[in-house]
Amino acid sequence: MAIPISKTLIRKANYIPKIPLYNHLSKTLTNPFISTTNLKPSKHSSSLLFKTQITPIIKTHQNPQIKSLFTGIVEEMGEIRHLGFDESGQSFDMVIHSPTVIQDCNLGDSIAVNGTCLTVTEFDPKTSEFKVGLAPETLRKTSLIELEKGCVVNLERAVKPSTRMGGHFVQGHVDGTGEIVSMEPEGDSLWIKVKTLPEILKFIVPKGFIAVDGTSLTVVNVFDDELCFNFMLVEYTQQKVVIPLKKVGQKVNLEVDILGKYVERLLSSGFVESIKSR
């Protein structure tokens, strides 16, 4: 279902201050600003209250043409410190606290947040926080719109050439969402069953890969008549990702294996028939 971004929401939004550039080369503060340190939650909204403090923020530039790839191996569960419109009422932003992911953060880096590839627009190593923007299409296609301040999210930095591929090739391009329909323990493991749309389920196969909230998992069974599939989480994985923290009825982001989409494209385009006719 499409999520409308109404002017009512814009008027009610409380805002996070803009953080200006810090000259990384000269190590000098080019503009004073209000930092997001000592954040305190409001009782009536998911916005933040701030105490002002002058702190340098480090920003560096990165080639925006670089494409990102992930493995589906979650590095850290970060906590949302802010989620809402900025002071202009046009940009919907998320601020996340993440001591691990922030360590080598750069402006323009790609970070998978619950499996959604997002771009770092601001960061502060002193508070271990970074900010990403959420486009209207991202809010429509993912479950991120259901989050609020205080929620935890799966985080993974884009893979480097030297990184071990512990999961599978994940682009961070969410295909859609699924709804958790059951969560059943078996020993110290957890069975989870998810219902999704037919156009997504057709790419899901038993023993195939799928990214659920950015976590690389192996599909166990597919139930076509129920529009469902299931997977199992071992005890270690349950402690490292957000999926077990969710409840029946909540949504998860889904990204199917890219190989299946390429195969369908080739078959529908008549590529195979053209090869046979040669």
Side-chain angles (χ1 to χ4, degrees):
M1 179 182 295
I3 306 297
I5 309 300
S6 70
K7 293 298 181 181
T8 302
L9 286 177
I10 293 174
R11 289 196 297 270
K12 291 182 178 180
N14 291 311
Y15 310 116
I16 187 166
K18 290 286 189 180
I19 303 176
L21 294 177
Y22 176 76
N23 191 323
H24 183 57
L25 296 178
S26 65
K27 308 294 185 183
T28 59
L29 186 64
T30 58
N31 290 289
F33 65 96
I34 299 174
S35 74
T36 58
T37 56
N38 301 321
L39 306 181
K40 292 185 177 181
S42 167
K43 294 181 180 180
H44 304 291
S45 71
S46 61
S47 63
L48 302 178
L49 300 179
F50 302 92
K51 289 185 177 179
T52 60
Q53 179 177 334
I54 299 299
T55 311
I57 195 114
I58 297 175
K59 287 193 171 189
T60 58
H61 294 279
Q62 194 166 341
N63 187 345
Q65 299 303 315
I66 295 176
K67 302 301 180 182
S68 301
L69 189 67
F70 306 92
T71 67
I73 303 300
V74 175
E75 295 185 87
E76 178 182 21
M77 288 191 289
E79 180 184 349
I80 297 175
R81 294 291 177 84
H82 168 81
L83 182 66
F85 289 98
D86 70 357
E87 57 193 10
S88 72
Q90 300 300 314
S91 177
F92 197 88
D93 299 320
M94 181 188 297
V95 176
I96 301 172
H97 177 73
S98 56
T100 299
V101 168
I102 198 71
Q103 289 177 6
D104 62 350
C105 189
N106 292 284
L107 182 68
D109 276 359
S110 293
I111 297 178
V113 181
N114 275 2
T116 308
C117 181
L118 300 173
T119 301
V120 175
T121 59
E122 299 176 9
F123 69 97
D124 188 345
K126 290 186 177 296
T127 59
S128 298
E129 294 176 352
F130 68 91
K131 178 192 282 189
V132 292
L134 300 175
E137 181 67 3
T138 302
L139 295 172
R140 284 190 289 265
K141 292 291 187 181
T142 71
S143 64
L144 298 181
I145 189 64
E146 296 184 348
L147 298 174
E148 57 187 22
K149 191 174 88 67
C151 289
V152 292
V153 288
N154 290 333
L155 299 175
E156 182 191 356
R157 289 168 288 188
V159 68
K160 296 180 179 179
S162 59
T163 304
R164 289 182 178 178
M165 287 296 298
H168 71 284
F169 291 116
V170 178
Q171 295 180 296
H173 301 161
V174 174
D175 293 299
T177 61
E179 179 185 335
I180 298 174
V181 296
S182 68
M183 305 175 76
E184 301 291 340
E186 182 179 350
D188 60 4
S189 296
L190 182 66
W191 284 98
I192 298 181
K193 193 173 187 179
V194 175
K195 183 175 183 178
T196 189
L197 298 172
E199 52 264 36
I200 294 177
L201 191 70
K202 67 181 180 181
F203 294 112
I204 302 175
V205 297
K207 306 304 182 286
F209 286 121
I210 190 164
V212 181
D213 275 347
T215 305
S216 176
L217 297 168
T218 302
V219 176
V220 178
N221 288 306
V222 177
F223 309 94
D224 290 312
D225 55 336
E226 302 176 47
L227 296 178
C228 293
F229 69 94
N230 68 354
F231 55 88
M232 177 177 276
L233 298 178
V234 298
E235 182 181 18
Y236 177 83
T237 305
Q238 292 174 50
Q239 299 170 2
K240 301 296 182 180
V241 302
V242 303
I243 303 170
L245 302 178
K246 294 190 172 184
K247 300 178 181 179
V248 171
Q250 285 191 280
K251 291 182 180 179
V252 290
N253 290 328
L254 301 177
E255 180 185 335
V256 300
D257 191 351
I258 186 64
L259 179 60
K261 290 188 281 187
Y262 278 125
V263 170
E264 185 194 47
R265 176 65 175 168
L266 289 172
L267 291 174
S268 63
S269 66
F271 175 78
V272 175
E273 295 301 322
S274 67
I275 294 296
K276 289 180 179 179
S277 64
R278 292 181 183 178

